[in-house]
Amino acid sequence: MYGGLVMSSPNSCSLTNVVGGNLWRRKHSTSNINYPGSCPSKASQNKRKIQMEYNLLRFQQSSLNHHYKCIEGGSAYQEWNKKYVVKATSKPSFDSGLPTSNSKNMLDSVKNFLAAFYLFCYPYVMIGRMLSTICASLIAVQKLSDISPLFIIGLLQALVPYTFLDVYINGLNQLSDIEIDKINKPYLPLASGQLSFRTGVIIAGSSLILSFWLGWIIGSWPLIWSLVMCFSLWTAYSINVPLLRWKRHPLLAAMCTFLTLTIIFPITFFLHMQTIVLKRPFVFPRSLVFVIVFMSFYSVGIALFKDIPDIEGDKKYGIHSFSARLGQKRVFWICVSLFEMAFGVALLAGATSSCLWIKIVTGLGHAALASVLWYQAKYVDLTNKVSIRSFYMLIWKLLSVAYLLMPLIR
C-alpha cells in the first residue's frame, strides 16, 4: 500500500504541471473574452487574477505535502521492516552460540589455572622428595615379601601429607619473593599475575592445614616430627619477619637444604617404615649411612647452585648469597665438584658390596651419571639464565635416578 503511494508521487507532480498549464491557458483565454452586455472594469480583472494565482499556489502546496508524506511513510515502513528482520535473525544466532562460548571460556580458565598451579608447586622439587621417600622406605625392605599391601599403605602415609607440605613450602617461598621473582623468575604464576596474592595464600594455607591434619590422623611419630621440622625450617627460610628470613644469610640458607635432604628425609621416612609399618626395632643399616653421606655432598651443591641464576634480584634486594659474594663461575664449579664427589662416594659404596650384580649395576649407573654431569657442565653459559636453569633441572633429574640406585647398596 505504501509502495503504491510512493510510485504515484511522480504522477502527482506531473498532474500539478498539467493543471497549472491549463489554468494558465484559461486565465489568458478568459482575459480576452468580451461578455455581451458587460464592460468589466480593470479592478475586477485584477481581483480575478489574484484569486486564480492564490488557488494555484494552494493546489501546488497540497500536492507537495502529499508527496512528502508518501515518501516519509515509505521510508518509515522500510526502517521498521529492517528492524524486524534484524531481531528475527540475530536471536537464534545468539542463543545457539552462547553455550559453546561459555563452555570454551570455562575450559580455558581451568587449563590456565592448572598450568599456574603446576608452576606454583615447583614440581621438580616434589618429584625429588617423593623419590627420596621411596628410597628411604625401600632401605627398610629386607626381603621381597616385605613389599606387600601393608608396605604400599605405609608409603602412601608418608607421601600424601608431605605432598601438601611441599605445596605450602613452595607457595610460601613465592609469596615472600614476588618482587624478587619479577626480576629472577618472571614466569612464575604470582610474579606474572596468573595467580593473585590472595589465591596463593589460600592454596598455601589450606595445604598446610591438610598436611598436619593427615599426619595427626596417621599417628606416626616419625612423620609428625618430620612435618614439624620441615615446616619450621622452611617457614624461617622464607617468611620476612625479624630474626627469620634465613635465605638472606648464605650459611643458614644452605643449612635448611642440608638438614632437609640429608637428615630429615632419609631418617624419618626410614623410621616410619621400619618401626611403624613393619613393626621392627630401630637399626641403622649400611644403606642408610650411604644415603646420608651421599646427600651430604649433593644437598650442599643444590643449596649453592640454586642461587646462581638469581644473582641479579638477590643483589637488588639485599640477599647476600654465595653467588653474589664469590661470583657465579666460582660457585658453579664448586657445585659441580660436590656433585662429582657424591657420585664418587656411590661408586666406592657399590664397589664394597658383597653382591657382584650390585657392584656392576651401581658402579655403571653412578659412573654414567657422573659422566653426563661433567659433559653437560662444560657447555653451560653462565651469562644465560635459560642455560643455567636447564643445568639445574639436570641436577634434579640425575638425583632422581640416583635415588633409584641407592637402595640396591647393601
Side-chain angles (χ1 to χ4, degrees), residues 79-270:
E79 181 179 355
W80 177 86
N81 190 38
K82 282 193 280 187
K83 289 182 181 178
Y84 177 80
V85 171
V86 169
K87 290 182 180 179
T89 56
S90 63
K91 185 175 181 180
S93 175
F94 176 77
D95 291 341
S96 61
L98 183 60
T100 304
S101 177
N102 288 341
S103 61
K104 184 178 179 181
N105 292 337
M106 185 179 297
L107 183 61
D108 291 341
S109 299
V110 172
K111 288 181 179 179
N112 293 334
F113 176 79
L114 292 177
F117 181 74
Y118 177 82
L119 293 175
F120 184 78
C121 295
Y122 281 159
Y124 62 90
V125 177
M126 296 179 66
I127 293 172
R129 200 266 317 145
M130 289 179 181
L131 291 174
S132 172
T133 306
I134 296 172
C135 172
S137 300
L138 288 174
I139 291 175
V141 173
Q142 297 178 358
K143 51 186 181 296
L144 287 178
S145 59
D146 289 339
I147 304 178
S148 60
L150 181 64
F151 175 86
I152 301 300
I153 293 173
L155 182 61
L156 291 175
Q157 288 176 344
L159 288 174
V160 176
Y162 249 101
T163 299
F164 289 109
L165 186 64
D166 286 339
V167 175
Y168 163 76
I169 293 173
N170 298 327
L172 179 64
N173 185 47
Q174 292 188 47
L175 288 168
S176 304
D177 290 349
I178 293 179
E179 297 302 323
I180 299 177
D181 288 338
K182 288 180 180 180
I183 299 174
N184 294 335
K185 301 168 185 175
Y187 57 87
L188 292 178
L190 290 175
S192 62
Q194 291 177 283
L195 291 180
S196 65
F197 183 84
R198 181 172 178 268
T199 303
V201 171
I202 293 173
I203 294 174
S206 59
S207 298
L208 178 64
I209 294 172
L210 285 172
S211 176
F212 278 104
W213 178 69
L214 290 172
W216 183 260
I217 290 177
I218 293 169
S220 171
W221 65 267
L223 284 183
I224 293 175
W225 278 109
S226 178
L227 292 170
V228 170
M229 287 187 289
C230 283
F231 162 74
S232 302
L233 280 175
W234 290 101
T235 301
Y237 174 88
S238 297
I239 194 168
N240 192 8
V241 297
L243 301 179
L244 298 181
R245 188 70 167 169
W246 289 357
K247 70 182 302 178
R248 290 180 297 191
H249 310 285
L251 287 177
L252 291 175
M255 182 191 70
C256 291
T257 304
F258 175 83
L259 291 177
T260 302
L261 297 180
T262 304
I263 306 298
I264 298 175
F265 282 177
I267 294 178
T268 57
F269 294 150
F270 171 78

Side-chain angles (χ1 to χ4, degrees), residues 38-52:
S38 65
C39 186
S41 64
K42 186 176 181 180
S44 62
Q45 290 179 357
N46 291 336
K47 182 178 180 181
R48 191 182 300 114
K49 179 179 178 181
I50 292 171
Q51 184 66 33
M52 291 177 63

Side-chain angles (χ1 to χ4, degrees), residues 3-77:
L5 289 175
V6 173
M7 292 298 295
S8 64
S9 59
N11 294 333
S12 300
C13 297
S14 61
L15 179 62
T16 303
N17 295 331
V18 172
V19 173
N22 292 334
L23 289 174
W24 183 83
R25 284 193 295 270
R26 287 178 59 188
K27 179 186 68 172
H28 288 278
S29 62
T30 53
S31 62
N32 297 327
I33 296 176
N34 294 322
Y35 292 95
S38 65
C39 186
S41 64
K42 186 176 181 180
S44 62
Q45 290 179 357
N46 291 336
K47 182 178 180 181
R48 191 182 300 114
K49 179 179 178 181
I50 292 171
Q51 184 66 33
M52 291 177 63
E53 289 177 353
Y54 173 77
N55 292 337
L56 177 62
L57 289 174
R58 287 190 61 186
F59 182 80
Q60 290 177 345
Q61 182 179 3
S62 176
S63 299
L64 289 173
N65 289 339
H66 178 71
H67 177 66
Y68 173 77
K69 288 181 181 178
C70 290
I71 294 175
E72 184 182 17
S75 63
Y77 167 76

